[in-house]
């Protein structure tokens, strides 16, 4: 999908989402420039990808994973592709999802991943899966941590905090403990950004 199509869709949808979920962005200077990167955020709502996209700006297209069955729905499937979302068959397991993400990263694109793996509603429940840090280390791309408020406020300002990009370094054949530490470090960076949510 062309960047032009994405920017047009971004411009059309922005006023509606911004009206319902207005936001303030902290750390806009950390929005990555051209080149591959992983955008990693905490996750508690289906609106999260939109809040991240509008905080990053129309020029920073982010590709997310979506359930393959959604792409078979008329109109919805086309809109998802325009939004930069790529289909993942849940029956194919995590390997298929990683393969799709690697393709975009190889092409110098941005990929969005929620390290918690599912929607999490409190910090006490927060625990990172290792897929994001494994992917970043394997592809040699930076991670951009992003913090979103767990509880979104309708018609009230929501603060999105973009953190400084950083590189993940793992051994070629890392021990599970090393990978788990890297995953927890990522979540710690995301949580720390929440301290700026004032």
């Amino acid at each position: 999908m062309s960047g032009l199509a994405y920017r047009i869709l971004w411009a059309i949808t922005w006023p509606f989402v911004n009206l319902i979920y207005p936001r303030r962005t902290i750390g806009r200077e950390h929005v990555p420039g051209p080149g591959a990167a992983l955008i990693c955020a905490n996750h508690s709502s289906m609106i999260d990808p939109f809040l991240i996209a509008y905080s990053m700006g129309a020029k920073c297209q982010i590709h997310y994973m979506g359930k393959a069955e959604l792409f078979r729905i008329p109109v919805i499937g086309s809109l998802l592709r325009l939004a930069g979302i790529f289909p993942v068959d849940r029956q194919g397991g995590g390997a298929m999802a990683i393969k799709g993400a690697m393709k975009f990263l190889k092409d110098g694109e941005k990929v969005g991943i929620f390290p918690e793996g599912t929607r999490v509603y409190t910090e006490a429940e927060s625990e990172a899966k290792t897929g994001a840090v494994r992917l970043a280390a394997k592809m040699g791309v930076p991670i951009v941590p992003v913090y979103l408020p767990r509880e979104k406020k309708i018609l009230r300002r929501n603060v999105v905090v973009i953190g400084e990009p950083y590189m993940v370094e793992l051994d070629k054949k890392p021990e599970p403990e090393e990978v788990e530490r890297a995953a927890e470090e990522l979540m710690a960076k995301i949580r720390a950004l929440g301290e700026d949510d004032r």
Side-chain angles (χ1 to χ4, degrees):
M1 187 202 72
S2 71
L4 177 60
Y6 175 81
R7 289 193 291 273
I8 291 174
L9 183 63
W10 190 98
I12 292 172
T13 57
W14 180 84
F16 301 100
V17 177
N18 195 57
L19 176 65
I20 300 172
Y21 291 98
R23 65 191 158 57
R24 177 170 69 96
T25 302
I26 297 175
R28 198 180 297 275
E29 68 274 14
H30 297 141
V31 173
L38 273 184
I39 313 298
C40 295
N42 59 310
H43 187 32
S44 62
S45 170
M46 293 182 67
I47 201 68
D48 290 343
F50 292 93
L51 294 179
I52 296 171
Y54 300 137
S55 296
M56 293 283 182
K59 293 182 179 180
C60 184
Q61 181 177 356
I62 306 170
H63 300 274
Y64 289 95
M65 306 172 191
K67 298 176 183 178
E69 52 265 35
L70 294 176
F71 288 79
R72 294 191 283 270
I73 302 175
V75 181
I76 296 297
S78 297
L79 288 175
L80 290 174
R81 288 186 173 86
L82 282 175
I85 299 172
F86 58 98
V88 173
D89 187 348
R90 288 182 296 178
Q91 303 301 320
M96 182 180 179
I98 294 298
K99 184 177 180 180
M102 287 176 63
K103 178 183 181 300
F104 282 108
L105 293 173
K106 285 180 180 178
D107 292 339
E109 301 283 346
K110 311 288 188 300
V111 173
I113 290 182
F114 297 109
E116 293 159 316
T118 187
R119 290 192 289 274
V120 176
Y121 302 103
T122 69
E123 294 299 339
E125 299 174 312
S126 175
E127 183 177 344
K129 304 296 188 290
T130 60
V133 293
R134 287 182 184 274
L135 182 59
K138 180 178 180 63
M139 301 301 295
V141 301
I143 287 179
V144 181
V146 177
Y147 175 82
L148 302 165
R150 294 285 182 185
E151 184 178 351
K152 310 302 185 292
K153 301 173 183 176
I154 297 177
L155 302 179
R156 294 177 60 189
R157 183 171 293 176
N158 296 273
V159 178
V160 178
V161 187
I162 303 171
E164 186 175 355
Y166 77 101
M167 301 297 294
V168 175
E169 295 184 3
L170 298 175
D171 292 338
K172 289 185 178 180
K173 294 183 179 180
E175 295 293 329
E177 293 80 7
E178 180 186 2
V179 183
E180 290 170 4
R181 282 195 300 270
E184 181 51 41
E185 179 186 7
L186 168 56
M187 284 311 303
K189 287 179 179 291
I190 292 173
R191 293 189 199 101
L193 294 175
E195 297 176 2
D196 294 327
D197 182 7
R198 298 289 186 267

